[in-house]
Amino acid sequence: MTYQEAYDQLVDLIDDIESEATPLDELPGKIRQATDLIAYCQQRLRAVEGDFQEAVSRIKTG
């Protein structure tokens, strides 16, 4: 899964949760899915940040 796919799924889940049309019994599962997607997106962002920092360090040390 790409970051963009995860982000898009997260946005859809949040829309469902906030719409008040989602049955109460479905909320825990949707919240768990959202939590998993948030963790995945955070992990991907940290990885990209690490790659960026490494590239900057290489440029500085030349």
Side-chain angles (χ1 to χ4, degrees), residues 22-57:
T22 301
L24 182 64
D25 293 333
E26 292 179 20
L27 283 176
K30 288 185 182 273
I31 291 169
R32 273 191 293 280
Q33 275 185 289
T35 301
D36 291 344
L37 289 167
I38 289 168
Y40 176 80
C41 288
Q42 286 175 330
Q43 182 270 329
R44 291 295 303 134
L45 288 169
R46 285 188 198 110
V48 170
E49 182 180 24
D51 291 345
F52 177 77
Q53 292 299 331
E54 185 179 319
V56 169
S57 291

Side-chain angles (χ1 to χ4, degrees), residues 1-38:
M1 172 184 326
T2 67
Y3 174 85
Q4 191 61 50
E5 290 169 338
Y7 179 82
D8 291 342
Q9 286 181 28
L10 181 58
V11 168
D12 290 343
L13 278 170
I14 291 170
D15 288 344
D16 286 348
I17 292 167
E18 290 180 339
S19 74
E20 297 181 15
T22 301
L24 182 64
D25 293 333
E26 292 179 20
L27 283 176
K30 288 185 182 273
I31 291 169
R32 273 191 293 280
Q33 275 185 289
T35 301
D36 291 344
L37 289 167
I38 289 168

